Amino acid sequence: MPPRTDVDYMRRAIALAQAAGDAGEVPVGSVLVRGEHIIAEGANNPIGAHDPTGHAEIVTLRAGGLAQQSYRLADTVLYVTLEPCVMCASAIIHARVRRVVFGAFDPKAGAAGSLTNVFTLPGLNHRVDVFGGVLEAECAALLTRFFAARRSQGSP
């Protein structure tokens, strides 16, 4: 089997995001990879879990920690369909993730360059390589369709 690419892993994150959207959650999915192996994955679930921290990245980092039996996730890459928020960016840094690859930019809450860039704050003892825009149109379309449907149903 040929080596997997950022696009391959993002496609899996998109599938997870779609499942979250189908469940009534904001459609965001993520995948944590070490080497070429997916070690954890997750999707947004703050509504269903009654948990304001239930963002896809946090769900995935928790699963990765359990899978690796460590709160340090060094030498991993996190793929996520939406630019991480401040909470998620901070958790990614604390987990020592090596690289983050995201799909859609988030001008309202993105903390990897759109609204702010948590990853470049001075004084941090860990740096994360961040790359955005992978399958951006597909990732953004999931969110656009989800929120358009909610607006047409009269949901906030």
Side-chain angles (χ1 to χ4, degrees), residues 9 20 25 31 37 41 48 54 62 80 88 92 124 130 140 151-152:
Y9 295 115
E25 301 281 356
V31 174
H37 303 286
E41 53 187 31
R62 286 179 179 153
V80 60
C88 293
I92 291 163
L124 294 175
V130 180
R151 282 190 298 278
S152 71

Side-chain angles (χ1 to χ4, degrees), residues 20-21 23-28 42-59 62 87-88 146:
E25 301 281 356
V26 175
V28 179
N44 266 10
N45 74 352
I47 298 166
H50 309 290
D51 178 2
T53 68
H55 291 198
E57 301 94 311
I58 301 295
V59 171
R62 286 179 179 153
M87 174 183 69
C88 293
F146 177 81

Side-chain angles (χ1 to χ4, degrees), residues 18-99:
Q18 182 63 58
D22 292 346
E25 301 281 356
V26 175
V28 179
S30 65
V31 174
L32 187 66
V33 174
R34 175 171 278 135
E36 290 188 14
H37 303 286
I38 294 173
I39 61 171
E41 53 187 31
N44 266 10
N45 74 352
I47 298 166
H50 309 290
D51 178 2
T53 68
H55 291 198
E57 301 94 311
I58 301 295
V59 171
T60 302
L61 292 174
R62 286 179 179 153
L66 290 172
Q68 299 298 294
Q69 290 295 290
S70 176
Y71 69 104
R72 298 284 193 226
L73 298 170
D75 298 320
T76 59
V77 180
L78 182 70
Y79 295 86
V80 60
T81 58
L82 181 64
E83 180 180 0
C85 69
V86 171
M87 174 183 69
C88 293
S90 297
I92 291 163
I93 292 165
H94 285 289
R96 305 298 194 264
V97 170
R98 179 177 53 84
R99 183 170 177 244

